[in-house]
Amino acid sequence: MSQSPSRDNVWRSSRARGGTPPRSSINHSGFTRSTKFAPSGTPSPKKNEIMNVLSVARSGGFGDDGDSLKSSAIQDKYWSHIAPQIPPLLSPSPQSTRAEEKTSLLINIRKLREGIHSSKRCDIFSKMITSTSLFLALLFDAERDLDACMTNVLESSEDGNALLVCLLVSLALGVYRFQSAVKPRRSELSSLLGHERFTWLLDVSSSLNQRNYYRLSTLLDVVPPPSLDLQLQAMSISSSLTSPPPDLPKLATERAVTRVKKYASNQIAWPTINAAYRELHLQMESETRRWVSQSLSLPETKVSLEDWLSEMQASGKIKAKTDIEGRWMILKTR
């Protein structure tokens, strides 16, 4: 009976022919089995390529140099994979809902933005990604991403929608921050934003600076509509290019306006209420409750107002009266 050749003999024969030894792994019994051929379900190289780039654990792509995202073709494929994730995350929901998905999306789009910056790509696609990053960072309350995006937009962006959102967010941080953002590009902002929106923005800033709450609230109730120029240009690049949701600029503008309202309430409305009243009667369904919510730019829901009251009590500005439900005593500072 002939003896089967040993593994060492097969290896030597393979080396003599210029081949390479077969790959193997050890099973639980201590014997080796060949793994020369990949399983039938192995993903294609192209699919592996995209999945490697999409992996949150990777920071610079794949390969020896890790520069895959410097390729315009990979950038386009990358965007086509993450763009469909955006619309479902824009639906109204509690802050905690789908937080992990939002964080993952922000990480992926940040990687795309960094790849575009590294490749020095400058076209409509790159501008669209910069604007989309800004809008999502604002809508998802990602302050670190928001700061980075605002710096890029304020320095060089020509997207009027993104510039308007940045300037409104700057205004919500203080008039001085707004003036610092406007000054370097004041001469071109009128044409980039459009005369109507630029004039409206200056009026909002002036009203806030003069502490004219009535005029400010009137202005913020009628926000000039966003422009669709950049999105239309982006759609014309390629028939296969996935555009961001068309209502994204509108949603981001509304969120930025809400920030301005909250800043105004802290700077104007609350000091006025604090000076004029000693108590607040905030029983459910009362006119006073609705008036306070509106004055402080709070949504008319129980949770929102109750959260605000809890924060104010924790900061020592008001105190709940224990004998009567819904009554709050304003603590005067000396």
Side-chain angles (χ1 to χ4, degrees):
M1 181 175 181
S2 62
Q3 185 176 2
S4 61
S6 67
R7 180 177 179 79
D8 290 340
N9 291 335
V10 173
W11 188 349
R12 293 190 188 99
S13 300
S14 177
R15 292 185 64 183
R17 294 193 302 269
T20 57
R23 293 172 291 174
S24 63
S25 60
I26 300 176
N27 62 20
H28 294 293
S29 303
F31 296 99
T32 58
R33 59 181 176 83
S34 174
T35 56
K36 185 174 181 180
F37 300 102
S40 58
T42 302
S44 65
K46 288 186 177 180
K47 185 174 181 180
N48 265 332
E49 184 178 58
I50 294 299
M51 294 310 296
N52 284 339
V53 179
L54 284 172
S55 174
V56 173
R58 305 297 290 250
S59 60
F62 50 92
D64 294 335
D65 56 4
D67 286 341
S68 303
L69 272 176
K70 286 186 178 181
S71 165
S72 296
I74 295 296
Q75 291 168 7
D76 293 345
K77 291 179 181 179
Y78 188 96
W79 168 248
S80 69
H81 276 75
I82 63 176
Q85 302 173 24
I86 299 177
L89 298 178
L90 297 179
S91 57
S93 60
Q95 277 297 105
S96 58
T97 304
R98 311 188 76 171
E100 191 172 319
E101 294 178 58
K102 292 178 181 179
T103 301
S104 178
L105 175 61
L106 288 172
I107 291 174
N108 285 325
I109 202 167
R110 186 194 311 151
K111 287 165 56 180
L112 175 58
R113 191 174 69 248
E114 291 170 353
I116 291 173
H117 178 74
S118 299
S119 66
K120 302 187 185 302
R121 180 175 181 177
C122 185
D123 55 12
I124 296 298
F125 176 79
S126 65
K127 295 174 183 177
M128 180 189 72
I129 296 301
T130 300
S131 299
T132 302
S133 300
L134 170 76
F135 299 148
L136 292 177
L138 177 60
L139 292 171
F140 297 165
D141 296 318
E143 299 302 322
R144 189 183 73 170
D145 291 275
L146 181 60
D147 288 341
C149 293
M150 285 179 61
T151 300
N152 294 334
V153 169
L154 291 173
E155 285 180 354
S156 58
S157 178
E158 298 179 355
D159 179 8
N161 296 328
L163 283 168
L164 179 63
V165 167
C166 276
L167 293 172
L168 284 170
V169 172
S170 299
L171 194 55
L173 297 173
V175 176
Y176 175 77
R177 179 75 177 267
F178 170 77
Q179 292 172 345
S180 299
V182 168
K183 186 176 180 180
R185 304 182 65 185
R186 188 181 183 93
S187 59
E188 57 179 332
L189 282 176
S190 179
S191 59
L192 291 174
L193 292 174
H195 179 72
E196 180 186 1
R197 289 198 294 179
F198 186 58
T199 302
W200 173 83
L201 189 62
L202 293 180
D203 289 341
V204 170
S205 173
S206 175
S207 301
L208 188 58
N209 193 34
Q210 296 171 5
R211 305 177 72 85
N212 188 335
Y213 186 77
Y214 176 78
R215 182 167 180 256
L216 178 66
S217 60
T218 302
L219 287 167
L220 293 179
D221 284 342
V222 185
V223 181
S227 169
L228 296 178
D229 292 345
L230 190 66
Q231 287 182 317
L232 293 175
Q233 292 179 49
M235 291 173 64
S236 67
I237 299 174
S238 168
S239 59
S240 62
L241 179 66
T242 305
S243 296
D247 58 342
L248 195 56
K250 181 176 180 291
L251 293 173
T253 302
E254 291 173 351
R255 180 64 63 85
V257 167
T258 300
R259 287 199 174 201
V260 176
K261 288 181 177 181
K262 288 184 177 180
Y263 175 78
S265 69
N266 291 330
Q267 297 296 313
I268 303 174
W270 170 246
T272 302
I273 294 173
N274 183 40
Y277 298 93
R278 292 186 177 183
E279 287 186 1
L280 293 175
H281 298 188
L282 303 177
Q283 289 83 0
M284 295 299 297
E285 306 301 330
S286 67
E287 289 295 328
T288 306
R289 186 184 182 91
R290 282 191 289 270
W291 174 77
V292 169
S293 295
Q294 184 178 6
S295 299
L296 298 173
S297 301
L298 299 172
E300 294 185 6
T301 62
K302 177 181 178 180
V303 175
S304 179
L305 183 57
E306 294 301 328
D307 287 345
W308 178 83
L309 291 170
S310 298
E311 291 176 7
M312 295 294 285
Q313 180 167 259
S315 63
K317 295 180 180 179
I318 60 175
K319 183 179 180 181
K321 300 193 73 172
T322 57
D323 54 340
I324 304 178
E325 183 180 357
R327 286 200 178 186
W328 296 80
M329 181 171 59
I330 298 177
L331 303 178
K332 305 293 183 177
T333 55
R334 297 181 181 179

